[in-house]
Amino acid sequence: MYGFTERIVALNEALAEIYTAHKMPAPADALAKSADAHFLQAALDHGQTLADWQPKANLLKKLAASYAKLGEHAKAYMYALRALNAEQSASTKQAASRSAAMQIREQTEQARNESQRQRELTEVAEHNLQLLNTLSAMGQEITANLNATAIATTLATQLRSFNIASHLRLWLRDTDRAVYSLRYSNPLSVPVNNRPLQNDDDQAAKTIELSHLRTETIIDATSDKCTFYAPLLIQKKTLAIVEIAAPAPLPPASISIFRSLNAYVAIALENARTYQALADAKNRIEQLSQTDSLTGIFNRHYVNTHIASLLAETQNETCLAIFLIDIDHFKTINDTHGQSEGDLVLQQMPVRLAQAFGTDAILVRWDAAGFLVLRKNTPRNQCAIFAKALNNATTATPFGLRDGAPIKKTCSIGFACYPPDPHYPETFSWQQALNFADLALKHAKQTGRNCAVGLTTIDSRQAGSKNFVLPWEMVPP
């Protein structure tokens, strides 16, 4: 029974050391305010369940030190005294009494000193924790930005709050040209134009030299100030160089804070570059998804994506002019000359469309041999003029072929306006206006091709009558 009790006592002492080493919190049902005091007290209480058990002085000393750390000086004193008595138990009563008195005074003073030391350590720990929390919050503020100037502005503000630097400049590396450009200079609140560093510029020459380094460098040091350069690295790649004007000598604590903030700046700059690369890639993908690969003009996806904004831009007394164009007898080109020559003819058509409709027109590859042209804010009476201009542009210049002489082609055009009824614009939808243009194109083909047929205005009040006939407008070649 006695050996088992000693093992339980030793186990609790070991738990006290483990909890202390790993700074673990005390259990919920703790006997004391700290984990080490709890387990040491548990060891003592368990040993005292045996009538003849005497605690070792070492256990009592540990208890005294633990309670001293907690500021419970009465308990600390008590266990220090018991420890002293345990050490002197083999001595005579008179010698033990004198020795105990001396050791009590010593232990009391030690406990008092230890308590003071623990209070000082606690203050340091609390200060460091507060600093870490502050730096963490500042890091989150820095990394929340996706713009180099905003990142540098945030860093400058934070360095000023610590009185670390009186001036800050950020040199950003251009990965394509491997040069550095000045992107921020405190106290400017606006970005400096990306001024590349020049070798004949003394300051630039210093930065160019520093760009090959991987460690911090102090130059221009005097008795009271210095210029501090810090390269910002991600995976051994230099993203930028931070330059600060700082007091000399720069305290180690300030350097440590500067390094911590620079680590966040490096992450933020890398995030900004990644974000910009993703945005550029997204724009390229979006552009490709809305572009016809053969002709280089827009495709149907572009129209479906942007039609709502195009309709919203339509102003009163004008319309969104809709032109559907087919190259007449296009199939004969593929049958006679081959599909590659047919593709070549299609590639030449956008030039004629732009010539007829102007550079502000929206050109769309609509189907195999068909095109759609949209013109914003176009007077209705000018639609026929544009259609006539396309007929002329198509026939005036033959289409070049790779395997022989150029060929002449004509086109058929159907046009309509949105809204079809200017007085009641909500009567017809965009799709209905497009259908009108499609009907007009079919009508142009049925009347012999090489012409244009349009439907610019519909009186919706008469459209429902039995005798209503669509008011087609014929535009001969």
Side-chain angles (χ1 to χ4, degrees):
M1 187 66 179
Y2 189 88
F4 177 77
T5 299
E6 286 295 322
R7 287 195 293 273
I8 295 299
V9 171
L11 175 61
N12 278 284
E13 288 188 77
L15 287 172
E17 292 179 0
I18 293 172
Y19 270 65
T20 301
H22 294 280
K23 300 180 180 180
M24 300 168 64
D29 55 349
L31 301 173
K33 296 179 181 179
S34 66
D36 57 339
H38 162 73
F39 286 108
L40 293 173
Q41 186 68 57
L44 179 63
D45 292 346
H46 188 83
Q48 290 177 341
T49 58
L50 294 178
D52 59 344
W53 183 83
Q54 293 296 327
K56 294 181 179 180
N58 190 43
L59 172 60
L60 296 170
K61 287 181 179 180
K62 290 179 182 178
L63 266 172
S66 296
Y67 282 115
K69 291 179 183 178
L70 295 174
E72 297 183 25
H73 302 295
K75 288 185 178 181
Y77 178 85
M78 177 188 70
Y79 286 116
L81 180 61
R82 290 185 61 182
L84 182 60
N85 290 335
E87 289 179 338
Q88 300 296 326
S89 61
S91 301
T92 63
K93 184 176 181 180
Q94 184 178 5
S97 177
R98 290 195 300 268
S99 177
M102 294 175 60
Q103 291 188 23
I104 287 172
R105 287 193 296 271
E106 180 181 351
Q107 292 290 335
T108 301
E109 184 62 27
Q110 289 180 352
R112 185 180 298 108
N113 293 338
E114 181 65 17
S115 176
Q116 177 62 28
R117 177 175 173 274
Q118 289 301 321
R119 282 195 294 270
E120 293 173 354
L121 291 176
T122 299
E123 291 176 359
V124 172
E126 290 177 351
H127 172 76
N128 290 338
L129 179 60
Q130 183 179 4
L131 178 60
L132 287 174
N133 290 335
T134 300
L135 291 175
S136 177
M138 288 181 170
Q140 293 178 12
E141 185 180 0
I142 290 173
T143 54
N145 296 301
L146 293 173
N147 173 273
T149 302
I151 293 169
T153 303
T154 304
L155 175 62
T157 301
Q158 294 170 350
L159 290 177
R160 280 197 299 269
S161 69
F162 285 109
N163 294 320
I164 292 177
S166 60
H167 191 87
L168 178 141
R169 292 202 290 183
L170 176 68
W171 304 95
L172 191 64
R173 185 174 188 268
D174 186 332
T175 54
D176 295 330
R177 297 183 298 158
V179 298
Y180 287 79
S181 298
L182 180 63
R183 292 301 299 272
Y184 178 87
S185 181
N186 172 269
L188 297 179
S189 59
V190 295
V192 177
N193 293 332
N194 296 342
R195 180 172 68 85
L197 297 176
Q198 303 297 329
N199 285 313
D200 56 355
D201 183 339
D202 181 59
Q203 186 66 58
K206 291 175 184 176
T207 310
I208 289 176
E209 180 182 353
L210 288 169
S211 67
H212 300 291
L213 300 179
R214 293 294 183 270
T215 58
E216 300 157 346
T217 303
I218 297 177
I219 63 174
D220 297 337
T222 64
S223 59
D224 61 346
K225 64 180 180 179
C226 66
T227 303
F228 193 104
Y229 288 92
L232 305 183
L233 306 176
I234 290 289
Q235 297 181 347
K236 299 182 179 181
K237 295 187 303 182
T238 304
L239 302 180
I241 295 174
V242 177
E243 169 198 343
I244 61 171
L250 197 59
S254 297
I255 295 177
S256 178
I257 292 172
F258 184 46
R259 288 171 179 165
S260 298
L261 294 177
N262 280 346
Y264 287 113
V265 172
I267 294 172
L269 290 175
E270 181 69 3
N271 290 345
R273 290 190 176 185
T274 302
Y275 175 82
Q276 187 59 51
L278 290 175
D280 293 342
K282 179 181 177 181
N283 291 336
R284 287 195 297 270
I285 293 172
E286 184 66 19
Q287 183 178 5
L288 290 173
S289 71
Q290 297 179 5
T291 303
D292 176 57
S293 60
L294 178 64
T295 61
I297 61 177
F298 293 122
N299 58 18
R300 284 191 179 226
H301 178 59
Y302 174 86
V303 177
N304 295 335
T305 303
H306 294 85
I307 189 60
S309 61
L310 292 173
L311 298 179
E313 293 174 13
T314 302
Q315 300 177 0
N316 295 333
E317 301 180 359
T318 64
C319 71
L320 176 66
I322 308 166
F323 300 86
L324 285 174
I325 303 106
D326 266 1
I327 300 175
D328 292 332
H329 305 293
F330 176 78
K331 186 175 182 297
T332 60
I333 302 175
N334 289 340
D335 295 341
T336 304
H337 302 279
Q339 183 175 345
S340 62
E341 299 290 12
D343 290 346
L344 185 59
V345 170
L346 291 174
Q347 289 173 335
Q348 298 172 59
M349 193 64 186
V351 176
R352 292 161 172 79
L353 296 175
Q355 180 183 348
F357 292 101
T359 57
D360 58 342
I362 299 172
L363 311 181
V364 182
R365 172 91 180 278
W366 198 241
D367 51 34
F371 296 86
L372 168 70
V373 176
L374 301 175
R375 289 197 87 263
K376 297 183 292 183
N377 299 317
T378 302
R380 295 171 187 269
N381 58 8
Q382 290 187 10
C383 292
I385 298 175
F386 285 113
K388 180 70 173 180
L390 178 59
N391 278 129
N392 294 338
T394 303
T395 57
T397 305
F399 291 83
L401 300 179
R402 298 185 187 91
D403 65 351
I407 60 173
K408 290 187 175 182
K409 298 300 294 181
T410 60
C411 66
S412 299
I413 307 168
F415 60 90
C417 295
Y418 178 86
D421 188 342
H423 301 291
Y424 300 95
E426 70 282 356
T427 303
F428 299 100
S429 66
W430 144 255
Q431 187 60 51
Q432 288 173 312
L434 182 62
N435 291 340
F436 287 144
D438 189 50
L439 287 174
L441 175 60
K442 292 178 181 178
H443 196 51
K445 292 180 178 180
Q446 292 170 357
T447 55
R449 293 186 169 84
N450 189 25
C451 66
V453 176
L455 191 63
T456 57
T457 304
I458 298 177
D459 188 344
S460 58
R461 294 171 298 181
Q462 299 179 7
S465 64
K466 294 181 180 180
N467 299 325
F468 177 74
V469 177
L470 290 173
W472 299 115
E473 181 179 353
M474 306 297 298
V475 182

